[in-house]
């Protein structure tokens, strides 16, 4: 219980669909059993790329801001947006820099590569090992539950609307079986030239 | 609750100080006796209008080793002879297999004694309460198991009872237990009890109508059970090899066995 990864609680999931990707997170921020806030989103946007961060809340904020600085510097030098693949390598090397005193976060990346037009998702451990998955990535205190719901509900080539329903049901039902996650959710459906952000209410306990 | 299912790290799960002082001087005679092992695996039960399905994988593990690929976790309770013919109640036990067997033997004896004394088979409700008492009898040296009991109630409706290791129990529509219970249970919430599902266009905001759970037909429940286990096999190393299902209807108990991945 005193693991830095499970003090504040939280959950995040990313999924691949047909020419679209989804990323969703819960909104809870807690101190062990005490809920401190029900409006703590864990997904951050960097141009074409969406980064989900679960784990120790202070590190979630710090890593999100550090990545914002690094991506801004990239955009200034390169005069173009960062691609999801490049972002993945940037996150990975940034985390490995802290190999012996890691950020206590489990990041998830989702986005569509604008050169290739291909959907991309990946996940990391806290020291930057990348998990390239073709189906879905889960992270946070409800990761066991998310593995169960995603493995049961996900199927290949889902369209944007079906992918939204799938990712939402996977997240909502998973966090309802985890005391440290929940209290509403943010869901992003990312298509080639459209991003839809939806706010889910979910159980308020 | 989670701590109940994880293994205590160094000392046995006694509630009193250990019999040998840990700071004993001189050479150690033998390694400390540890009375429990976790044999992994998962079970689940779902009840319907006129049936109950009990299921469990057949893998038995200790640590990263596989003891065997076929060690059933489902047991018929009551019935006649060594093969429990004519039984109408099924017990599933997951956790420490030796305790599971001991528990099965005790409950089976009770069910058989009941029939001998009363001249009729024990009801699930009575059997369920008796199982609770058997578990609580060992409150301070528990059977290290999560039990689920399935059958048909007095009205022929599917009945399912789930237990914690010390006998606290509850009748439910569905329950997953064991190593992959955290993966399976939220899936069951969604697919059996329709949790987080709403009727489209039935209202705005809080007026939105929830989709009410209704008893599912047998073929749908069988599909859900299979999906739950193939999913659990993908993501949990202690689950696999085979899936054993007992379908309890008014016609008796039907056994179904399906292969699961052996990796």
């Amino acid at each position: 219980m005193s693991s830095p990864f499970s003090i504040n609680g939280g959950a995040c999931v990313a999924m691949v669909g047909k020419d679209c990707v989804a990323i969703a997170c819960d909104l809870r921020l807690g101190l062990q059993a005490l809920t401190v806030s029900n409006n703590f989103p864990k997904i951050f946007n960097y141009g074409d790329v969406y980064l989900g961060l679960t784990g120790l809340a202070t590190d979630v904020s710090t890593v999100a801001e550090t990545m914002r600085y690094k991506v801004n510097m990239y955009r200034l030098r390169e005069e173009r947006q960062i691609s999801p693949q490049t972002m993945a390598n940037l996150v990975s090397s940034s985390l490995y820099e802290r190999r012996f005193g890691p950020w206590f976060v489990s990041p998830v990346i989702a986005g569509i590569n604008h050169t290739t037009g291909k959907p991309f998702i990946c996940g990391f451990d806290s020291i930057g090992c990348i998990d390239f998955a073709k189906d879905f990535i889960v992270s946070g205190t409800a990761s066991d539950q998310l593995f169960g719901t995603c493995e049961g509900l996900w199927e290949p080539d889902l369209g944007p609307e079906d992918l939204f329903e799938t990712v939402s049901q996977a997240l909502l039902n998973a966090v309802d079986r985890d005391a440290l996650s929940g209290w509403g959710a943010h869901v992003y459906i990312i298509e080639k030239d459209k991003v839809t952000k939806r706010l889910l209410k979910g159980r308020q306990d | 609750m989670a701590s109940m299912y994880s293994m205590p790290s160094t000392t046995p799960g006694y509630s009193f100080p250990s019999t040998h002082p840990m700071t004993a001087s001189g050479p150690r005679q033998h390694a400390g006796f540890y009375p429990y092992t976790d044999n992994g695996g998962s079970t689940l039960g779902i009840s319907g209008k006129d049936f109950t399905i009990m299921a469990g994988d057949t893998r038995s593990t200790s640590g990263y080793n596989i003891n065997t690929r076929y060690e059933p976790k489902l047991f018929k309770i009551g019935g006649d002879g060594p093969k429990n013919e004519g039984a109408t109640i099924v017990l599933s036990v997951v956790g420490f297999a030796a305790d599971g067997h001991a528990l099965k033997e005790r409950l089976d004896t009770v069910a058989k004694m009941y029939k001998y004394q009363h001249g009729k088979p024990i009801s699930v409700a009575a059997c369920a309460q008796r199982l609770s008492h058997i578990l609580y009898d060992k409150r301070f040296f528990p059977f290290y198991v999560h039990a689920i009991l399935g059958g048909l109630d007095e009205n022929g409706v599917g009945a399912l009872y789930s237990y914690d290791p010390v006998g606290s129990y509850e009748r439910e529509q569905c329950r997953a237990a064991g190593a992959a219970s955290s993966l399976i249970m939220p899936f069951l919430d969604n697919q059996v009890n329709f949790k987080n599902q709403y009727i489209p266009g039935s209202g705005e905001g809080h007026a939105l109508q929830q989709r009410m759970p209704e008893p599912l037909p047998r073929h749908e429940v069988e599909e859900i059970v299979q999906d739950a286990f193939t999913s659990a096999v993908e993501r949990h190393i202690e689950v696999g090899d085979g899936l054993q299902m007992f379908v309890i209807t008014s016609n008796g108990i039907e056994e179904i066995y399906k292969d699961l991945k052996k990796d």
Side-chain angles (χ1 to χ4, degrees):
Chain A
M1 253 315 221
S2 62
S3 159
F5 288 101
S6 54
I7 294 170
N8 303 120
C12 185
V13 55
M15 275 183 186
V16 174
K18 187 164 178 55
D19 303 319
C20 57
V21 283
I23 183 165
C25 67
D26 74 328
L27 296 179
R28 184 179 181 269
L29 176 116
L31 275 169
Q32 311 223 73
L34 173 70
T35 301
V36 177
S37 166
N38 41 243
N39 190 195
F40 188 80
K42 293 154 190 78
I43 295 171
F44 306 91
N45 171 241
Y46 306 91
D48 296 340
V49 189
Y50 288 80
L51 174 68
L53 292 164
T54 63
L56 194 69
T58 180
D59 286 359
V60 168
S61 304
T62 309
V63 170
E65 290 308 310
T66 309
M67 293 317 294
R68 166 100 51 232
Y69 164 72
K70 291 189 177 188
V71 170
N72 283 344
M73 291 303 286
Y74 177 95
R75 198 163 44 228
L76 255 26
R77 270 189 223 174
E78 300 276 326
E79 296 185 352
R80 63 191 170 105
Q81 295 281 13
I82 196 167
S83 73
Q85 281 83 353
T86 312
M87 180 80 181
N89 287 296
L90 177 61
V91 169
S92 176
S93 51
S94 302
L95 289 172
Y96 197 79
E97 235 172 36
R98 291 276 172 276
R99 171 63 178 78
F100 297 110
W103 301 111
F104 297 109
V105 291
S106 313
V108 172
I109 279 180
I112 291 178
N113 187 309
H114 260 246
T115 336
T116 64
K118 293 240 170 67
F120 176 86
I121 59 162
C122 71
F124 311 81
D125 66 8
S126 61
I127 51 171
C129 177
I130 311 180
D131 173 6
F132 296 105
K134 278 178 270 195
D135 41 14
F136 50 81
I137 291 286
V138 304
S139 86
T141 50
S143 61
D144 279 15
Q145 288 87 339
L146 279 166
F147 271 127
T149 55
C150 289
E151 198 66 62
L153 299 176
W154 186 87
E155 47 190 278
D157 298 324
L158 290 163
E161 287 309 309
D162 288 341
L163 187 67
F164 165 69
E165 198 59 38
T166 306
V167 76
S168 301
Q169 290 294 330
L171 182 70
L172 252 21
N173 289 287
V175 299
D176 285 353
R177 283 282 171 183
D178 177 26
L180 301 182
S181 306
W183 287 70
H186 281 184
V187 183
Y188 293 81
I189 303 295
I190 304 153
E191 293 166 74
K192 193 89 185 286
D193 39 29
K194 185 171 76 166
V195 177
T196 317
K197 180 186 178 184
R198 292 187 179 90
L199 315 174
L200 302 181
K201 191 122 177 71
R203 285 179 73 102
Q204 299 296 308
D205 60 1
Chain B
M1 200 61 175
S3 61
M4 291 203 73
Y5 299 114
S6 60
M7 205 65 81
S9 55
T10 50
T11 53
Y14 297 120
S15 60
F16 46 84
S18 63
T19 46
H20 287 286
M22 288 298 177
T23 52
S25 55
R28 261 237 313 236
Q29 290 303 117
H30 60 83
F33 172 62
Y34 189 72
Y36 294 125
T37 317
D38 183 357
N39 296 111
S42 253
T43 57
L44 79 83
I46 300 174
S47 67
K49 205 158 82 164
D50 53 1
F51 66 91
T52 295
I53 296 191
M54 304 288 288
D57 71 314
T58 62
R59 177 177 289 181
S60 166
T61 64
S62 1
Y64 292 131
N65 299 312
I66 296 173
N67 303 320
T68 171
R69 300 193 190 279
Y70 189 73
E71 173 71 37
K73 283 183 265 290
L74 265 36
F75 305 104
K76 292 180 184 174
I77 297 299
D80 305 313
K83 299 195 85 178
N84 287 85
E85 277 153 45
T88 56
I89 296 173
V90 172
L91 172 72
S92 82
V93 276
V94 63
F96 180 30
D99 275 0
H101 277 97
L103 183 63
K104 172 214 71 177
E105 286 299 330
R106 287 199 190 188
L107 191 66
D108 192 39
T109 306
V110 163
K112 285 183 160 83
M113 285 302 289
Y114 183 101
K115 198 175 173 187
Y116 177 65
Q117 285 174 336
H118 295 88
K120 62 177 183 186
I122 192 168
S123 68
V124 253
C127 193
Q129 190 156 84
R130 190 58 195 268
L131 176 55
S132 170
H133 292 149
I134 293 170
L135 288 163
Y136 195 82
D137 262 2
K138 276 169 64 62
R139 171 64 177 76
F140 297 109
F141 185 20
F143 287 116
Y144 206 85
V145 291
H146 191 329
I148 304 174
L149 192 72
L152 300 174
D153 68 10
E154 294 84 348
N155 305 314
V157 178
L160 190 74
Y161 296 85
S162 73
Y163 298 80
D164 80 351
V166 287
S168 182
Y169 78 116
E170 181 182 20
R171 185 174 172 177
E172 295 180 289
Q173 295 302 312
C174 70
R175 170 59 65 184
S181 62
S182 57
L183 286 77
I184 298 172
M185 205 57 217
F187 178 69
L188 258 34
D189 288 340
N190 188 226
Q191 297 296 310
V192 178
N193 290 323
F194 303 145
K195 289 284 163 67
N196 287 111
Q197 289 194 249
Y198 294 88
I199 298 161
S202 60
E204 286 286 309
H206 289 286
L208 201 62
Q209 294 286 305
Q210 244 212 304
R211 186 178 169 198
M212 295 312 282
E214 56 197 60
L216 297 168
R218 180 181 157 176
H219 68 95
E220 270 183 44
V221 174
E222 278 183 37
E223 270 178 32
I224 289 170
V225 170
Q226 282 202 50
D227 284 354
F229 272 93
T230 46
S231 297
V233 168
E234 289 293 321
R235 298 290 176 171
H236 203 112
I237 56 168
E238 289 177 3
V239 182
D241 295 328
L243 170 61
Q244 187 189 31
M245 286 200 284
F246 277 154
V247 186
I248 308 150
T249 64
S250 51
N251 299 322
I253 301 172
E254 186 185 327
E255 181 173 357
I256 302 168
Y257 176 85
K258 296 253 165 75
D259 273 333
L260 290 172
K261 283 166 72 171
K262 297 191 197 301
D263 57 0

